[in-house]
Amino acid sequence: LNIAMFKEYKVDFVVMKDSGIAGGTAEKVKACQKLEITPIIIGRKPETGYTCIKSLAECLINEN
């Protein structure tokens, strides 16, 4: 599907966020390689998240 779409739109570059396995990043990069298109991947900092509901609640309360 990615190859067909990239061919149809005759793209030279593909800009994508790094959405990991679930988002299909690897498949998009492979399609770019096959078609000799330059992939531009926008990364993001790792998220640590919250490990307990109390710290999440404190964060939400302090935002308001």
Side-chain angles (χ1 to χ4, degrees), residues 47-58:
E47 297 178 23
T48 57
Y50 293 94
T51 57
C52 74
I53 193 73
K54 183 179 178 183
S55 62
L56 175 59
E58 289 172 357

Side-chain angles (χ1 to χ4, degrees), residues 2-3 6 16 20-33:
N2 289 314
I3 290 173
F6 297 163
M16 67 186 97
I21 295 169
T25 300
E27 288 82 6
K28 291 173 189 160
V29 171
K30 287 178 188 176
C32 287
Q33 290 172 333

Side-chain angles (χ1 to χ4, degrees), residues 4-30:
M5 181 174 57
F6 297 163
K7 281 183 177 181
E8 181 177 340
Y9 289 101
K10 300 177 181 145
V11 299
D12 294 316
F13 299 90
V14 175
V15 179
M16 67 186 97
K17 67 178 180 174
D18 185 0
S19 54
I21 295 169
T25 300
E27 288 82 6
K28 291 173 189 160
V29 171
K30 287 178 188 176

Side-chain angles (χ1 to χ4, degrees), residues 12 31-38:
D12 294 316
C32 287
Q33 290 172 333
K34 183 169 183 166
L35 298 173
E36 297 182 357
I37 295 170
T38 302

